[in-house]
Amino acid sequence: MMCFDFDDSIGMKLSEIGKPLLIRCALNPSQVKTFTEYPWGKILVSSYHKLINPEACTFDQDGYQSIAVTKDDIVNIEVLPE
């Protein structure tokens, strides 16, 4: 059972359930909880460094948010090849 109504626009966006998807969202960084202190600057600088030097190591961080992701937060949905 899908947790969204198909009549809702988010339900329509997620109606591709069952296929591998990549869902990109624009989230408020102050609402995202991470497991390290001040990760956003480290991520930004290491991502920029990777653009300049493809051999550079990047810093990435897992995180979560406990508030709902709204349909307006969804930027792009891409169906991935199976």
Side-chain angles (χ1 to χ4, degrees):
M1 177 177 183
M2 191 169 180
C3 58
F4 300 100
D5 291 328
F6 284 105
D7 297 337
D8 294 341
S9 59
I10 196 166
M12 290 169 43
K13 286 181 180 182
L14 297 178
S15 64
E16 294 287 338
I17 291 291
K19 298 178 183 175
L21 299 174
L22 176 61
I23 301 173
R24 293 190 175 126
C25 301
L27 304 176
N28 181 344
S30 65
Q31 299 291 334
V32 178
K33 308 294 183 225
T34 60
F35 305 99
T36 189
E37 193 173 23
Y38 307 115
W40 309 118
K42 296 173 186 175
I43 293 168
L44 178 67
V45 170
S46 71
S47 296
Y48 177 74
H49 187 200
K50 185 79 170 181
L51 288 173
I52 304 297
N53 178 5
E55 299 295 317
C57 292
T58 55
F59 178 86
D60 212 351
Q61 178 64 49
D62 289 333
Y64 67 94
Q65 75 174 32
S66 56
I67 61 172
V69 175
T70 68
K71 64 183 180 213
D72 296 330
D73 296 332
I74 298 174
V75 175
N76 184 32
I77 298 176
E78 179 181 343
V79 178
L80 300 175
E82 294 187 47

